[in-house]
Amino acid sequence: MNAARSVKIGILGAAGRMGQMIAREILGRQYAGAELGAAVDGKDSWALGRDLGEVLGFGPSGVTVSTDAAKAFEDCDVLIDFTTPEATMAHAALAYESGRAYVVGTTGLGQMEEAGVIAAAQRAPVLQSANMSVGVNVLLALVAQVAEKLDDKYDIEIFEAHHRQKIDAPSGTALALGHAAAAARGTTLDAAMVAARFGQIGARIPGSIGISVFRGGDVIGDHTVTFAGAGERLELTHKASDRGLFARGAVKAALWLHDKPIGRYTMRDVIGI
Ligand code: NAD
């Protein structure tokens, strides 16, 4: 029998904050059986034409940063995408065409881009998670449980904080927490969400789910879900203090996904909750 071949992982958005972290995880040989297979970045990227290993101080890796996502889908066993919604839309189409395993971490997807990812999962194993951390995925389960246990006399408010460079709001994680709470209350986030408050807005709408957003500094990601009742508040909080957390989760997800059957998966499948 042949020795198990290592899993070739391609990074889409390789020169970005998350892409670099993911590359470091793989090149640092933190994972037995994982190998960097391709590095793709945007057409204006500072890293194009450069060896990703050299850029990150690991020495030559043989993987040059390019814009050729189609070739990355051909060459790799699994692709990890931390880019922009537009880029993710194009990458989802490549996953559909190639059937290659595809991990989506990009947030802020609109309806069209979400539909592209869902379509890809008809022809490829696709794992999408707005937050690849174990803690946040446990939080999602806890929020659903508490929202169900405490009736709608407990108002649900979600607060999230992120660094000044983040381009989408509310965060994908805040929305995921909102979806979990709404589903547990037998409604949808679209129906229940109040995402902005300003001026003479009147009393709080019963059953609504408020989401408020902070942007500033280098906050990696804080999320608090508050259940506010008469005479008490229950707060569930998660604080990310190391972006490597998401990168480790993404690589773990890729290694888990690469040989799974066609279909849609989330980080909760990887963690087993
Ligand atoms: P970033 O701006 O630092 O990196 C994005 C990278 O994508 C850039 O290098 C850019 O050049 C590249 N890019 C743009 N267009 C491209 C294209 N067509 N093809 C290939 N690459 C392209 O952003 P970031 O902080 O790394 O975050 C990226 C995304 O990941 C955001 O949506 C962010 O919210 C999300 N994110 C998700 C998690 C999670 O756990 N799921 C965690 C952190 C960030």
Side-chain angles (χ1 to χ4, degrees):
M1 221 168 84
N2 289 339
R5 166 176 96 70
S6 59
V7 178
K8 277 193 174 181
I9 303 178
I11 307 175
L12 308 166
R17 275 178 293 265
M18 283 304 303
Q20 288 187 40
M21 280 280 179
I22 292 163
R24 283 201 176 90
E25 288 292 324
I26 300 168
L27 292 168
R29 306 243 169 261
Q30 314 279 357
Y31 300 84
E35 181 189 338
L36 184 63
V40 178
D41 211 54
K43 61 179 173 31
D44 300 326
S45 172
W46 56 271
L48 292 183
R50 298 176 66 181
D51 184 294
L52 191 58
E54 280 186 347
V55 167
L56 298 177
F58 286 91
S61 64
V63 175
T64 304
V65 181
S66 88
T67 55
D68 197 346
K71 181 153 180 4
F73 273 86
E74 253 171 50
D75 291 350
C76 296
D77 300 303
V78 53
L79 287 296
I80 301 178
D81 189 344
F82 281 79
T83 58
T84 62
E86 307 76 60
T88 295
M89 175 96 183
H91 297 150
L94 290 170
Y96 180 87
E97 282 160 26
S98 65
R100 209 63 88 216
Y102 177 48
V103 174
V104 187
T106 312
T107 63
L109 303 188
Q111 271 181 2
M112 255 175 49
E113 291 114 6
E114 285 289 354
V117 173
I118 292 167
Q122 289 164 11
R123 298 267 291 266
V126 175
L127 185 147
Q128 185 183 18
S129 181
N131 194 308
M132 305 270 174
S133 93
V134 173
V136 159
N137 285 280
V138 171
L139 177 64
L140 280 165
L142 286 174
V143 164
Q145 211 181 325
V146 176
E148 204 177 5
K149 279 264 179 294
L150 298 179
D151 63 21
D152 58 11
K153 291 196 179 63
Y154 287 79
D155 300 325
I156 302 176
E157 289 286 316
I158 299 169
F159 168 79
E160 62 104 331
H162 279 87
H163 55 89
R164 59 167 73 102
Q165 307 289 356
K166 186 164 177 64
I167 58 171
D168 55 313
S171 69
T173 304
L175 293 172
L177 291 164
H179 284 300
R185 287 264 169 104
T187 181
T188 65
L189 188 60
D190 285 346
M193 180 163 71
V194 175
R197 293 182 175 117
F198 182 78
Q200 300 300 310
I201 57 163
R204 193 179 195 285
I205 302 164
S208 58
I209 296 177
I211 302 190
S212 53
V213 173
F214 165 100
R215 289 287 174 272
D218 57 0
V219 181
I220 291 175
D222 294 352
H223 293 89
T224 296
V225 182
T226 302
F227 296 84
E232 64 177 353
R233 290 198 303 280
L234 172 59
E235 297 187 343
L236 300 173
T237 295
H238 178 272
K239 293 184 179 182
S241 50
D242 171 13
R243 192 168 275 114
L245 172 77
F246 307 126
R248 288 190 289 278
V251 177
K252 198 172 163 188
L255 291 173
W256 180 88
L257 186 71
H258 82 278
D259 59 357
K260 291 289 173 294
I262 292 169
R264 278 186 92 188
Y265 302 93
T266 74
M267 204 59 198
R268 289 167 80 170
D269 297 308
V270 180
I271 298 165
I273 47 171

